[in-house]
């Protein structure tokens, strides 16, 4: 590891130390004393590193505030520690394959490795010592720095007050007004600045000196021996104070380990007669040099600029950290094992034999034993619930043991004895005390201890089962494993296999082992795992089935796990799992209930499991929770419609859902729904333009009262904003509930509720789990679910062209184009439908194509043109779609996209030429004139058939007063009559079509104003430019027109810009 380390390096070293401790602990029980001491020192080191990691994670400026000298010192400690741990890791990797073998230490040739192990142990002890010293110095520097900041802040406050008072005195001299001034008194005014550094600060806030608290484990001799001249005596502790592994122990848990000597260290002499300190944090010292450096550090880090309020806030934060660290150093609270509920010697031997049989195969760490004990506590509760099913009149305040040996209450008592025996015999063993101080294990330990005591309190001493009845119960500590249950990790870099799926084994019924997950239901079942040829039916409910829900997700999860943690199968519980199964009953019959159990097949993808419940109530409860949920949210499923089809086009889980006020876009109420399901469903009919959508939001399965809300969602004009966050999306639109009041001419009001796309009345906010989901939602709302035939970008937005089909009542094929626009921070889309016969104006100069005749969809409500308002029980809602006529202009940024867009609107043609001409005429040339047309300018276009050689010429006059604006005809390649004229293109006689619209499928003019003039035969003359001929290129438009007819695309490279056209026409 290189110098100039950072947060990532500390996390890596901490993880390495923790992994090595777990692995070494597995083989430490049978190891020689030297190796066991190495594991002991490794536990102390990883504890200090975890504390350093917590400090860095809780304070982002921790490393920046250290200063160069302190950071270099801590840097060397971390780097040296990492080097030593890598050497130990290499040793563990080398002998990892021998972990499960017999006579491990003989295979290791201990005599040859003893010196190497001893050397590593000494280095680890030295690293622990140095890191403790550095962390203690840093902790003291934080308090001193804050105190110095407080002193300077108070001084600045006094200076400001003096300046203010001086200004007021000057005013008093010039004004007759009398001012009364009161000087505020702060806590800082009473601070004794002559006190030792840090003490006055602590007394000011808490009334006590916090650094005196850790000294309860420090002998008087050690505390007074710390000095600047003798660093080897830093932190000397008295062994009689019960300080072990940096954790103060109570008298009940104190274990005499004998004296340990500090190994050689670069900062200590060879005299190791005193005992070595290994606390999580050293007590505060009175080192003068450190105090001096701390004060200078506080001054250098900008404390001069902090106000009194900021300093007090920093002070509270530091004191909060100190209290948290002291809380971790408190001794374990251990409940004594009751004399009335202890296994006898024969039962203890049964338990011990079962444990030893398993330990021959694998080794377990403290957390694994905590899981095993918790497993049997949960099994005891499961047995007691089965007992209550058999004895409905039983009161849980006390349990009377049945004389029947197979009573679930008897097995529950034995399971409690298993949990209690594991807790007091194995977990509270002296080798596990240190690991119990860790946060995760401490929580498991306290929950387990309290749970066992509570369950034992339900048994009366006179009603406990006798020895003969106890020996008839299942006394095995380990559940049997089926052949396909082993699920070890194949990662070669992982030191330990498996044992990571036990997080669901928790005492708290709602605890799933993770902060973001909650258990809804938990029980134990029998199961057959794998294919039918390998299935083995169990008969003691050795598997746990649970329903859970995760934060940010709405669907319940079903999980199957075993005791050892080698099996952890999980998947979403769907509505299909609620169907009635026709599978046969289980070969195992619940003897306690006397009824066979129905098999529930669960497919987890890579493994199929057949589950059988021994308690019918458990099966009903497992199905009841998701059934109630799916019944409450069934409106989010696609509807079965007779004349339409509804499909799901979007489905995601959102972390937060809020309804907003449309005018302010702020939450409409204080309700903030978490972990919701968001879906968008699309309803299509036989007419494509009638497509509508529904937006459905439903609650999580964890809600006590599940809910579901559905909203009508139009196909366009839905406005979306990201609100500055990539995961948060704001959306608003209009439904069909805008009230419109008119009169019928007889003083009667007519009430209609209409759709107004310019006036949204629904607004909501969604915070997705990631930016990908948010972007997908935006895409689904702003675009159709069809596959586009053409797309282009303009002004940072994308636009699309689609093919639309009507199958009934009049089958037809037409086009739709969707324009995505932005207005300030909002983005919305407009959807227009274009039928085969249409009209458009191609403006090459302005880069716009204008469509004067398009269609769009209007949405009609259930309450229109009524003499009365709707009732509260029947509010207006969407009823059906209607077609409206409109117009639109499409803007482009370049000509290729403009021409490609028009090509996508045709039935297989490609636009190869489009220019504005001065005039187009069908009059033949005259000797007395040029035959100029009086219709004005016209747009001339050449279209080439895709995959063919035919070319269509289409022109449209710009003057709207011209009735039949469109004219079309066929043109042969190279069909110009005369190429000598510089600005005219003459075409021979051919059949011409005139009309008010253009057939985009065939590029033929349709719908003539005069039916008799629809088609006729005549020549055609096009005048492109009346300006003087260009000296270099001649007339460019005429040359491009000729080149397009000849099929020579190279000539098109001379094309002019729209600006050239504008200058020419002006």
């Amino acid at each position: 590891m290189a110098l100039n380390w950072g947060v990532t390096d500390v996390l890596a070293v901490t993880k390495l130390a923790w992994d090595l401790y777990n692995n070494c602990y597995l083989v430490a029980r049978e190891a020689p004393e030297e190796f066991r001491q190495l594991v002991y020192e490794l536990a102390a080191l990883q504890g200090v590193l975890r504390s350093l990691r917590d400090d860095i994670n809780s304070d982002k400026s921790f490393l920046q505030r250290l200063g160069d000298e302190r950071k270099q010192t801590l840097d060397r400690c971390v780097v040296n520690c990492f080097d030593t741990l890598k050497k130990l890791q290499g040793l563990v990797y080398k002998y990892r394959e021998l972990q499960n073998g017999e006579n491990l230490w003989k295979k290791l040739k201990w005599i040859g490795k003893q010196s190497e192990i001893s050397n590593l142990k000494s280095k680890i002890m030295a690293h622990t010592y140095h890191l403790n010293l550095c962390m203690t110095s840093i902790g003291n520097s934080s308090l001193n720095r804050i105190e110095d900041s407080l002193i300077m802040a108070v001084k600045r406050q006094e200076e400001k007050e003096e300046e203010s008072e001086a200004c007021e005195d000057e005013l008093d001299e010039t004004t007759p007004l009398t001012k009364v001034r009161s000087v505020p008194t702060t806590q800082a005014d009473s601070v004794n600045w002559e006190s030792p550094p840090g003490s006055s600060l602590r007394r000011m806030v808490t009334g006590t000196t916090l650094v005196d608290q850790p000294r309860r484990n420090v002998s008087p001799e050690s505390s007074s021996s710390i000095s600047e001249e003798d660093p080897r005596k830093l932190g000397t502790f008295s062994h009689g104070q019960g300080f072990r592994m940096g954790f103060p122990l109570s008298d009940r848990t104190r274990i005499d380990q004998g004296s340990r000597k500090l190994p050689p260290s670069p900062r200590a002499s060879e005299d190791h007669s005193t005992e070595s300190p290994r606390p999580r944090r050293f007590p505060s010292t009175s080192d003068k040099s450190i105090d001096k450096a701390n004060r200078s550090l506080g001054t250098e880090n900008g404390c001069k600029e902090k106000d009194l309020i900021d300093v007090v806030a920093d002070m509270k934060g530091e004191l909060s950290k100190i209290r948290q660290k002291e809380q971790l150093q408190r001794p374990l609270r251990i409940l004594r094992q009751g004399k009335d509920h202890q296994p006898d010697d024969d039962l203890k031997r049964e338990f011990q034999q079962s444990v030893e049989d398993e330990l021959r195969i694998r080794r377990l760490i403290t957390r694994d034993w905590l899981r095993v004990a918790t497993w049997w506590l949960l099994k005891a509760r499961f047995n007691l619930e089965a007992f209550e099913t058999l004895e409905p009149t039983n009161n849980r305040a006390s349990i009377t043991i049945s004389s029947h040996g197979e009573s679930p209450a008897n097995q529950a008592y034995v399971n409690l004895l298993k949990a209690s025996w594991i807790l007091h015999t194995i977990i509270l063993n002296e080798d596990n005390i240190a690991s119990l101080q860790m946060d995760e294990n401490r929580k498991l330990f306290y929950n387990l201890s309290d749970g066992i005591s509570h369950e034992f309190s339900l048994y009366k001493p006179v009603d406990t089962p006798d020895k003969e009845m106890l020996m008839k119960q299942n006394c095995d500590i380990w559940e049997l494993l089926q052949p396909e249950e082993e699920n070890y990790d194949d990662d070669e870099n992982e030191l330990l296999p498996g044992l990571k799926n036990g997080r669901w084994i928790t005492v708290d019924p709602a605890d799933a082992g993770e902060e973001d997950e909650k258990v809804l239901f938990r029980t134990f079942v029998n199961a057959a795992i794998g294919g039918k040829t390998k299935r083995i039916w169990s008969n003691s409910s050795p598997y746990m089935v649970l329903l859970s829900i995760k934060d940010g997700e709405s669907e319940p999860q079903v999980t199957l796990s075993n005791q050892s943690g080698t099996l952890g199968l999980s998947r979403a519980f769907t509505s299909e799992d609620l169907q009635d199964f026709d599978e046969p009953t289980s070969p195992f019959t619940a003897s306690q209930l006397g009824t066979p159990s129905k098999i529930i097949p669960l497919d987890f993808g890579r493994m199929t499991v057949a589950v059988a419940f021994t308690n019918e109530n458990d099966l009903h409860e497992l199905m009841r929770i998701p059934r109630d949920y799916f019944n409450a949210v069934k409106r989010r499923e696609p509807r079965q419609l007779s004349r339409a089809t509804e499909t799901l086009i979007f489905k995601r889980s959102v972390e937060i859902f809020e309804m907003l006020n449309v005018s302010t876009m702020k939450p409409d109420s204080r309700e903030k729904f978490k972990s919701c399901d968001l879906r968008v469903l699309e309803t299509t009919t036989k007419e494509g333009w009638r497509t509508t959508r529904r937006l459905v939001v439903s609650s999580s399965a964890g809600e006590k009262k599940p809910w579901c809300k559905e909203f009508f969602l139009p196909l366009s004009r839905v406005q979306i904003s990201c609100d500055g966050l990539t995961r948060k999306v704001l959306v608003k639109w209009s439904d069909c509930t805008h009230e419109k009041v008119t009169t019928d001419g007889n003083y009667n009001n007519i009430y209609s509720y209409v759709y107004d796309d310019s006036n949204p009345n629904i607004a909501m906010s969604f915070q997705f789990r990631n930016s990908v989901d948010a972007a997908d939602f935006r895409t689904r709302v702003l675009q159709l679910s069809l596959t586009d035939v053409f797309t282009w970008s303009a002004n940072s937005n994308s636009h699309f062209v689609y093919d639309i089909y009507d199958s009934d009542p009049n089958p037809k094929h037409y086009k739709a184009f969707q324009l995505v626009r932005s207005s300030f921070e909002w983005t919305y889309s407009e959807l227009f439908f274009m039928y085969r016969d249409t009209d458009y104006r191609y403006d090459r100069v302005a880069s716009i194509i204008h469509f004067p005749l398009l269609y769009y969809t209007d949405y009609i409500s259930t309450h229109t043109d009524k003499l009365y308002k709707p009732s509260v029980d029947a509010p207006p809602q969407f009823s059906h779609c209607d077609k409206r006529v409109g117009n639109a202009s499409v803007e482009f940024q370049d000509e290729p996209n403009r021409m490609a867009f028009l090509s996508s609107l045709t039935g297989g043609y490609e636009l190869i030429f489009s220019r504005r001409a001065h005039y187009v005429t069908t009059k033949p040339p005259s000797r007395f004139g040029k035959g100029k047309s009086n219709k004005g300018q016209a747009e001339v276009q050449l279209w080439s058939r895709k995959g063919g050689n035919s070319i269509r010429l289409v022109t449209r006059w710009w003057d709207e007063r011209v009735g039949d604006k469109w004219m079309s005809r066929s043109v042969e390649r190279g069909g110009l009559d005369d190429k000598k004229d510089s600005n005219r293109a003459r075409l021979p006689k051919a059949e011409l079509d005139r009309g008010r619209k253009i057939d985009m499928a065939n590029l033929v003019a349709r719908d003539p104003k005069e039916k008799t003039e629809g088609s006729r035969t005549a020549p055609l003359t096009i005048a492109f430019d009346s300006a003087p001929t260009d000296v270099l290129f001649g007339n460019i438009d005429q040359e491009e027109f000729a080149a397009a007819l000849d099929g020579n695309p190279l000539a098109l490279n001379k094309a002019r810009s729209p600006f050239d056209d504008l200058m020419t026409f002006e």
Side-chain angles (χ1 to χ4, degrees):
M1 179 181 293
L3 295 178
N4 298 325
W5 54 277
V7 178
T8 306
D9 300 315
V10 174
L11 297 178
V13 175
T14 305
K15 184 179 185 303
L16 178 60
W18 173 249
D19 292 340
L20 287 173
Y21 169 68
N22 285 338
N23 284 271
C24 293
Y25 182 83
L26 292 177
V27 295
R29 183 176 297 275
E30 299 175 358
E33 180 64 21
E34 193 71 23
F35 187 83
R36 298 178 67 180
Q37 292 178 5
L38 169 66
V39 177
Y40 178 85
E41 302 301 336
L42 191 58
L45 176 62
Q46 64 89 21
V48 177
L49 288 172
R50 283 161 66 92
S51 298
L52 176 60
R53 178 202 63 185
D54 295 340
D55 288 343
I56 295 176
N57 289 337
S58 61
D59 187 359
K60 296 181 179 180
S61 62
F62 179 83
L63 298 179
Q64 287 74 14
R65 293 191 289 102
L66 291 184
D68 294 339
E69 184 177 354
R70 293 181 185 277
K71 191 172 182 180
Q72 290 176 3
T73 302
L74 191 58
D75 188 359
R76 288 192 296 271
C77 292
V78 174
V79 170
N80 294 334
C81 177
F82 181 79
D83 294 339
T84 302
L85 292 177
K86 290 297 290 184
K87 293 179 181 179
L88 179 60
Q89 185 187 41
L91 185 65
V92 173
Y93 268 118
K94 184 176 180 180
Y95 296 101
R96 182 178 61 176
E97 62 272 12
L98 302 178
Q99 178 178 334
N100 294 329
E102 298 179 356
N103 301 323
L104 170 62
W105 299 104
K106 293 182 180 180
K107 294 182 180 181
L108 285 178
K109 298 180 180 180
W110 173 249
I111 297 177
K113 294 296 179 182
Q114 187 172 3
S115 59
E116 184 177 352
I117 295 295
S118 178
N119 186 29
L120 290 173
K121 183 198 71 172
S122 300
K123 289 183 178 180
I124 291 174
M125 290 177 65
H127 297 325
T128 305
Y129 176 87
H130 292 153
L131 282 173
N132 265 318
L133 185 60
C134 290
M135 295 300 293
T136 302
S137 175
I138 294 172
N140 290 336
S141 69
S142 298
L143 295 177
N144 291 330
R145 174 177 51 80
I146 293 178
E147 185 169 1
D148 291 341
S149 302
L150 185 60
I151 294 173
M152 300 177 67
V154 172
K155 289 182 178 180
R156 289 195 303 272
Q157 183 75 12
E158 292 175 351
E159 293 174 357
K160 291 180 180 180
E161 292 175 356
E162 292 176 357
E163 293 177 359
S164 177
E165 185 176 0
C167 293
E168 291 174 356
D169 292 341
E170 293 178 0
L171 290 175
D172 291 340
E173 296 176 358
T174 59
T175 181
L177 297 179
T178 302
K179 295 187 178 182
V180 180
R181 178 177 178 272
S182 61
V183 179
T185 303
T186 63
Q187 284 182 317
D189 295 334
S190 60
V191 177
N192 182 11
W193 305 115
E194 302 299 329
S195 302
S199 60
S200 59
L201 172 63
R202 302 180 185 98
R203 284 197 298 270
M204 183 188 68
V205 179
T206 64
T208 60
T209 303
L210 294 180
V211 292
D212 292 337
Q213 297 179 11
R215 291 180 182 272
R216 62 182 180 271
N217 296 318
V218 184
S219 63
E221 297 80 8
S222 64
S223 61
S224 62
S225 63
I226 302 175
S227 64
E228 183 179 3
E229 294 78 18
D230 191 7
R232 67 181 180 179
K233 297 181 180 180
L234 281 171
T236 305
F237 286 79
S238 171
H239 182 70
Q241 297 296 325
F243 201 100
R244 181 180 185 273
M245 283 290 294
F247 308 106
L249 306 179
S250 63
D251 294 337
R252 186 182 305 168
T253 59
R254 187 179 300 120
I255 301 174
D256 186 11
Q257 295 293 331
S259 61
R260 295 180 182 269
K261 296 186 177 182
L262 184 68
S265 171
R267 299 184 58 184
S269 65
E270 296 300 326
D271 183 12
H272 307 300
S273 58
T274 58
E275 294 172 335
S276 62
R278 288 182 300 277
R280 184 184 295 268
R281 287 287 189 272
F282 268 71
S284 63
T285 69
S286 59
D287 189 353
K288 298 180 180 179
S289 62
I290 292 180
D291 291 339
K292 183 178 180 180
N294 293 339
R295 287 187 174 86
S296 64
L297 177 65
T299 304
E300 293 171 0
N301 285 323
C303 296
K304 294 181 180 179
E305 303 301 328
K306 286 193 174 182
D307 294 332
L308 185 59
I309 297 178
D310 298 331
V311 175
V312 172
D314 293 343
M315 175 182 59
K316 291 181 179 179
E318 289 293 337
L319 294 179
S320 176
K321 294 178 185 178
I322 293 175
R323 293 191 182 101
Q324 292 178 0
K325 295 170 184 175
E326 289 185 347
Q327 179 66 25
L328 295 176
Q329 293 178 351
R330 294 183 181 274
L332 287 173
R333 173 181 54 83
I334 303 176
L335 299 177
R336 292 184 179 273
Q337 188 176 13
K339 296 181 179 180
D340 297 328
H341 303 290
Q342 292 188 9
D344 57 15
D345 294 339
D346 292 339
L347 201 57
K348 288 181 180 179
R349 283 192 292 270
E350 289 284 339
F351 294 161
Q352 185 65 38
Q353 184 61 41
S354 178
V355 168
E356 292 177 354
D357 291 342
E358 184 70 15
L359 290 180
R360 293 190 183 98
I361 303 174
R362 57 176 175 163
R363 293 289 184 266
L364 278 77
I365 61 177
T366 303
R367 184 173 301 179
D368 297 327
W369 284 116
L370 288 168
R371 299 291 190 191
V372 173
T374 304
W375 177 272
W376 291 116
L377 173 61
L378 297 177
K379 288 291 290 283
R381 292 176 177 175
F382 169 74
N383 296 133
L384 290 178
E385 291 176 358
F387 176 69
E388 291 178 357
T389 303
L390 289 175
E391 303 289 340
T393 59
N394 180 66
N395 184 6
R396 281 297 298 268
S398 63
I399 296 178
T400 302
I401 297 299
S402 173
S403 59
H404 183 55
E406 296 182 355
S407 172
N410 295 337
Q411 183 62 56
Y413 187 79
V414 174
N415 291 339
L416 283 176
L417 291 178
K418 295 179 187 178
S420 178
W421 181 82
I422 294 173
L423 175 64
H424 292 89
T425 305
I426 299 178
I427 297 176
L428 288 178
N429 185 278
E430 59 183 70
D431 294 334
N432 297 324
I433 294 297
S435 60
L436 285 176
Q437 298 288 352
M438 301 170 188
D439 295 344
E440 299 86 350
N441 291 347
R442 181 187 285 254
K443 175 186 176 182
L444 289 174
F445 172 80
Y446 283 149
N447 290 343
L448 176 62
S449 179
D450 294 341
I452 293 175
S453 298
H454 173 72
E455 296 299 331
F456 270 136
S457 66
L458 302 179
Y459 288 85
K460 295 179 179 180
V462 295
D463 294 327
T464 56
D466 55 24
K467 178 179 179 180
E468 181 180 357
M469 189 174 298
L470 290 178
M471 298 305 294
K472 292 181 180 179
Q473 309 304 316
N474 179 13
C475 299
D476 294 333
I477 298 295
W478 306 103
E479 304 277 16
L480 295 178
L481 296 178
Q482 297 194 36
E484 296 192 11
E485 283 188 55
E486 299 295 338
N487 182 30
Y488 292 121
D489 198 341
D490 296 330
D491 188 0
E492 296 181 356
N493 296 324
E494 189 71 26
L495 294 178
L496 276 178
L499 299 183
K500 60 184 179 182
N501 296 317
R503 65 178 179 87
W504 294 288
I505 307 175
T506 57
V507 178
D508 185 359
D511 187 7
E514 290 186 354
E515 292 292 337
D516 61 344
E517 190 171 0
K518 175 185 176 182
V519 175
L520 304 178
F521 176 73
R522 185 191 329 241
T523 189
F524 290 87
V525 298
N526 293 294
I529 299 176
K532 294 183 178 180
T533 58
K534 297 182 180 179
R535 288 182 180 179
I536 301 176
W537 276 101
S538 57
N539 58 4
S540 59
S541 302
Y543 303 98
M544 178 190 296
V545 167
L546 54 88
L547 278 176
S548 62
I549 189 70
K550 286 187 176 182
D551 292 345
E553 298 182 3
S554 59
E555 304 303 293
Q557 298 283 324
V558 58
T559 302
L560 179 75
S561 65
N562 61 3
Q563 179 196 35
S564 62
T566 59
L567 184 69
L569 304 175
S570 182
R571 70 167 176 86
F573 195 101
T574 63
S575 57
E576 287 76 12
D577 295 322
L578 295 175
Q579 59 184 338
D580 294 330
F581 299 99
D582 297 328
E583 298 285 341
T585 57
S586 168
F588 167 72
T589 301
S591 58
Q592 295 90 343
L593 302 179
T595 57
S597 178
K598 183 176 294 186
I599 297 175
I600 306 299
L602 294 176
D603 186 5
F604 290 95
R606 64 183 184 86
M607 187 177 293
T608 302
V609 179
V611 176
F613 291 81
T614 60
N615 188 337
E616 198 71 21
N617 291 337
D618 289 344
L619 174 59
H620 293 162
E621 185 66 13
L622 178 70
M623 296 297 176
R624 181 195 65 80
I625 296 176
R627 181 181 291 111
D628 292 347
Y629 172 69
F630 290 125
N631 287 338
V633 301
K634 61 183 178 181
R635 286 183 296 171
R636 71 183 187 181
E637 300 298 331
R639 298 171 297 181
Q640 300 298 325
L641 305 174
S642 58
R643 297 184 179 181
T645 303
E646 189 172 53
T647 56
L648 179 67
I649 63 173
F650 179 83
K651 175 184 176 183
R652 293 292 188 277
S653 294
V654 294
E655 293 181 349
I656 298 176
F657 160 65
E658 290 181 288
M659 293 297 299
L660 306 179
N661 184 293
V662 179
S663 60
T664 63
M665 293 307 293
K666 300 296 181 182
D668 204 7
S669 64
R670 294 185 177 180
E671 286 186 316
K672 181 181 292 187
F673 303 101
K674 297 183 178 181
S675 303
C676 300
D677 178 87
L678 173 62
R679 302 189 182 191
V680 177
L681 301 102
E682 188 171 85
T683 302
T684 56
T685 65
K686 295 181 179 181
E687 295 179 279
W689 62 272
R690 294 184 182 272
T691 301
T692 58
R693 289 174 174 173
R694 279 195 308 138
L695 185 143
V696 185
V697 186
S698 56
S699 68
S700 164
E703 295 284 346
K704 293 183 179 180
K705 293 183 178 180
W707 50 266
C708 182
K709 299 181 180 182
E710 62 176 337
F711 305 87
F712 161 76
L713 189 69
L715 220 58
S716 63
R717 302 293 294 187
V718 179
Q719 303 181 42
I720 290 183
S721 174
C722 291
D723 193 32
L725 297 175
T726 57
R727 296 192 301 121
K728 187 175 181 180
V729 175
L730 304 181
V731 57
K732 61 181 179 179
W733 71 91
S734 171
D735 62 1
C736 302
T737 60
H738 288 280
E739 185 180 76
K740 181 180 179 181
V741 182
T742 58
T743 60
D744 61 353
N746 296 321
Y747 305 103
N748 296 319
N749 288 336
I750 303 297
Y751 296 95
S752 297
Y753 289 83
V754 300
Y755 168 76
D756 184 0
D757 58 8
S758 62
N759 187 20
N761 60 346
I762 296 178
M764 54 188 65
S765 169
F766 300 106
Q767 181 170 316
F768 292 87
R769 293 187 295 174
N770 52 66
S771 58
V772 176
D773 291 349
D776 193 12
F777 174 73
R778 181 182 182 276
T779 300
R780 290 297 180 184
V781 171
L782 295 179
Q783 300 178 22
L784 298 185
S785 59
L786 304 174
T787 302
D788 59 84
V789 296
F790 177 70
T791 179
W792 77 101
S793 297
N795 299 325
S796 71
N797 289 319
S798 298
H799 311 291
F800 309 90
V801 178
Y802 302 95
D803 283 325
I804 307 296
Y805 296 91
D806 289 352
S807 58
D808 192 62
N810 298 316
K812 62 173 65 73
H813 173 207
Y814 50 99
K815 301 287 182 175
F817 54 88
Q818 195 166 33
L819 309 178
V820 181
R821 305 184 187 276
S822 297
S823 176
F824 299 100
E825 72 274 13
W826 294 96
T827 303
Y828 62 95
S829 67
E830 293 180 313
L831 182 63
F832 299 95
F833 300 97
M834 190 196 77
Y835 288 99
R836 187 196 68 174
D837 298 344
T838 188
D839 182 22
Y840 67 87
R841 187 169 59 201
Y842 187 101
D843 191 345
R844 183 172 179 267
V845 175
S847 297
I848 292 177
I849 301 178
H850 179 70
F851 293 86
L853 181 62
L854 291 174
Y855 299 90
Y856 64 92
T857 303
D858 190 18
Y859 304 99
I860 311 302
S861 74
T862 55
H863 193 98
T864 57
D865 299 331
K866 305 290 185 181
L867 293 173
Y868 53 87
K869 290 186 176 182
S871 63
V872 178
D873 298 334
Q877 56 186 354
F878 168 75
S879 173
H880 62 279
C881 296
D882 202 355
K883 192 184 300 182
R884 296 286 186 266
V885 178
N887 60 81
S889 296
V890 186
E891 299 178 358
F892 296 87
Q893 294 179 338
D894 52 55
E895 188 168 17
N897 277 331
R898 189 165 61 245
M899 298 176 69
F901 167 73
L902 281 180
S903 300
S904 66
L905 301 180
T906 66
Y909 285 89
E910 180 183 2
L911 181 61
I912 61 175
F913 176 84
S914 181
R915 291 291 185 274
R916 190 185 302 183
H918 272 280
Y919 64 87
V920 175
T921 180
T922 58
K923 297 178 181 180
S926 174
R927 296 180 181 181
F928 305 100
K930 296 183 178 180
K932 182 177 179 180
S933 172
N934 60 358
K935 294 184 176 65
Q937 300 175 6
E939 188 72 23
V940 179
Q941 296 179 344
L942 288 178
W943 296 81
S944 175
R945 184 75 177 183
K946 295 179 181 179
N949 294 322
S950 61
I951 295 179
R952 298 287 299 176
L953 183 144
V954 175
T955 65
R956 184 191 187 276
W957 279 277
W958 275 74
D959 192 347
E960 297 297 334
R961 292 173 297 179
V962 178
D964 295 333
K965 304 180 184 64
W966 290 93
M967 181 175 63
S968 63
R969 59 165 288 174
S970 296
V971 182
E972 298 292 335
R973 288 194 177 273
L976 289 179
D977 275 354
D978 188 3
K979 298 183 181 180
K980 296 179 181 180
D981 200 329
S982 61
N983 70 328
R984 291 179 178 83
R986 293 187 176 90
L987 298 175
K989 288 185 178 181
E991 184 177 355
L992 301 175
D993 295 300
R994 294 286 300 275
R996 289 175 292 184
K997 297 180 181 179
I998 183 69
D999 177 356
M1000 294 298 292
N1002 304 292
L1003 293 176
V1004 176
R1006 304 286 189 186
D1007 189 22
K1009 187 176 181 179
E1010 298 293 337
K1011 302 299 182 182
T1012 58
E1013 297 182 2
S1015 299
R1016 63 192 181 93
T1017 302
L1020 187 66
T1021 301
I1022 305 172
F1024 285 105
D1025 191 358
S1026 60
T1029 304
D1030 194 298
V1031 177
L1032 296 178
F1033 303 109
N1035 187 276
I1036 300 178
D1037 290 344
Q1038 193 269 354
E1039 291 182 5
E1040 287 184 0
F1041 182 81
L1045 284 179
D1046 294 338
N1048 183 13
L1050 296 178
L1052 296 177
N1053 293 334
K1054 302 181 190 178
R1056 295 180 300 174
S1057 67
F1059 180 75
D1060 298 328
D1061 289 341
L1062 179 62
M1063 297 300 295
T1064 300
F1065 294 135
E1066 290 181 352

